[in-house]
Amino acid sequence: MGIEKTPVLWTTGAPGAGKSTTAWGVYSRIAEAGGSVAYVDIDQLGLIGPPPGGGEASHAIKAANLLRVLEILRGRGARQLVVSGVLDPEIGIEPYFEGRDFDVTLVRLTCDRDELRSRFLGRGSPEGALPDLFELVDIYERAAFGEEMDTTGQRPEETVDALFRRCVVEQGEISPPDVVEPQSGPVTVVTGPTAVGKSTAAWSVLHEMWQQESPVAYADIAQFGFVHPGPDPAVEAAILAAVRRGYREAGAERFIVVAREFLPEHRQVFKEVTVVHLDADDATLTERVRRRAEGESALLAGDELRGAPPGVRDRVAARAIAEAAGARDSGGDRVVLDTSGQEAAETAAALRALVRQ
């Protein structure tokens, strides 16, 4: 008897079509229903540059990393896998999954152009990018990969409902991942409490290194932790190691990692690691939580702050302040940057100086 294939629901489509929102909604619904499920944003698996990270190699790098990650999640016991993100418009996804133990349902979300324009601009994207957006829509329509789902006039929860009914909601037997073998190569890990500005600073450093033609890759450990039941630091570590291996094969010499906490399970992935911890006083953290809630950052899966009401902001700010206080007492082998009162550019400059060292 052959091995049962694990179902994968993959939502794709042009920016603004709702692929990430829908996939996250499906993942959340399955988790709430008690199912064993994991979610992967494929865009988080191709953060490498300069080329071969960009251009034609980008889709292949993402697909190779995705398969590594899905195998880890399948082995852990996930009964339903959910993926969101763009695909290779030339060849689709079938060549990558051929002979694999996954049963992939690819859903291409669409809506009429007026609504897509409204959604695209409504999420803060620049109007000047509209021609590129509609060019991508034309490419997707010509390729016609997957089954089309027209979401014109639909509320996000309606799209989620339609796809949730097609998913497996079952508990799986949890199996720990294999022990991770430490990997060589310079790694900078940026830690700090919620909303301190880790991702913003690290992303700025990353882009400068790309502009200098330095082959470097980036990972946010929080984006590797969407597994239910969870959290599971051992799975995060296994995924981190797998993605790191993929980036090294693609030519990345350095690695920048962002994590609220860099746990022992994460640390075992690397032989050479420098931890830079961003700290801030209570007033600065409270102000940065407010800014995050008002949209002054990239929207990522699981973001609890974007659009949050004042009561939620207050709770998150209190938690961030407690996290910062706890980190000050914990010590550890790390460099501490006090970012109190700094603008994002100042924090990025300080981090950049440490990474250069």
Side-chain angles (χ1 to χ4, degrees):
M1 181 180 294
I3 299 175
E4 179 185 359
K5 291 194 173 187
T6 302
V8 179
L9 173 69
W10 185 331
T11 57
T12 190
K19 52 187 178 296
S20 298
T21 300
T22 299
W24 178 257
V26 171
Y27 163 77
S28 300
R29 285 282 301 278
I30 297 172
E32 290 165 3
S36 181
V37 60
Y39 165 68
V40 182
D41 177 354
I42 196 172
D43 291 338
Q44 296 294 321
L45 306 181
L47 300 175
I48 172 177
E56 296 178 358
S58 177
H59 291 298
I61 293 169
K62 290 179 183 179
N65 274 339
L66 178 64
L67 288 170
R68 294 182 177 99
V69 171
L70 293 184
E71 290 289 359
I72 291 168
L73 295 170
R74 168 186 164 84
R76 198 257 189 181
R79 299 292 296 127
Q80 173 73 56
L81 299 169
V82 181
V83 177
S84 67
V86 298
L87 50 80
D88 189 331
E90 298 296 326
I91 64 173
I93 62 174
E94 288 188 6
Y96 298 112
F97 283 90
E98 188 174 352
R100 300 276 184 163
D101 291 315
F102 298 104
D103 182 12
V104 184
T105 299
L106 178 65
V107 178
R108 179 168 45 92
L109 301 178
T110 65
C111 63
D112 69 35
R113 303 218 171 192
D114 287 342
E115 185 163 332
L116 181 61
R117 182 182 190 279
S118 177
R119 293 182 189 179
F120 185 73
L121 297 178
R123 68 182 202 172
S125 300
E127 190 165 359
L130 285 171
D132 291 337
L133 170 67
F134 292 129
E135 181 181 355
L136 182 61
V137 171
D138 291 337
I139 291 172
Y140 269 45
E141 287 180 350
R142 288 195 297 269
F145 288 117
E147 55 180 273
E148 181 181 2
M149 175 177 283
D150 187 350
T151 65
T152 303
Q154 279 189 359
R155 291 177 289 111
E157 52 267 33
E158 292 177 297
T159 310
V160 170
D161 285 344
L163 293 177
F164 171 72
R165 291 193 290 268
R166 302 174 59 177
C167 292
V168 171
V169 183
E170 295 178 359
Q171 294 183 351
E173 183 176 345
I174 298 177
S175 300
D178 295 334
V179 176
V180 173
E181 291 293 327
Q183 300 181 32
S184 59
V187 177
T188 302
V189 178
V190 184
T191 65
T194 300
V196 74
K198 304 179 291 295
S199 299
T200 301
W203 194 252
S204 176
V205 173
L206 179 79
H207 272 266
E208 182 181 88
M209 295 179 76
W210 284 355
Q211 291 168 358
Q212 296 170 348
E213 299 296 312
S214 177
V216 58
Y218 172 95
D220 181 345
I221 292 180
Q223 296 296 307
F224 298 160
F226 301 129
V227 55
H228 182 270
D232 192 334
V235 165
E236 294 169 359
I239 293 175
L240 184 63
V243 173
R244 164 67 167 161
R245 188 163 55 250
Y247 285 149
R248 290 202 62 167
E249 291 177 3
E253 297 173 0
R254 297 189 63 92
F255 200 28
I256 297 176
V257 178
V258 168
R260 191 172 67 190
E261 289 185 282
F262 192 54
L263 300 173
E265 292 90 343
H266 305 146
R267 186 177 286 272
Q268 70 177 345
V269 174
F270 308 115
K271 291 181 180 179
E272 311 163 44
V273 60
T274 300
V275 179
V276 180
H277 182 79
L278 305 188
D279 193 10
D281 60 27
D282 296 0
T284 298
L285 287 173
T286 301
E287 172 63 12
R288 289 177 184 170
V289 165
R290 182 192 66 78
R291 291 184 179 183
R292 272 269 302 274
E294 293 178 355
E296 288 190 21
S297 63
L299 179 58
L300 297 174
D303 191 331
E304 62 187 332
L305 275 174
R306 180 67 67 91
V312 173
R313 298 183 198 183
D314 292 344
R315 288 195 295 273
V316 174
R319 191 185 75 210
I321 290 168
E323 290 169 356
R328 291 182 202 117
D329 295 336
S330 66
D333 182 15
R334 63 190 183 177
V335 179
V336 178
L337 282 181
D338 186 353
T339 69
S340 300
Q342 289 184 350
E343 293 299 321
E346 296 175 274
T347 302
L351 177 61
R352 191 177 304 120
L354 285 174
V355 171
R356 283 173 178 163
Q357 293 175 16

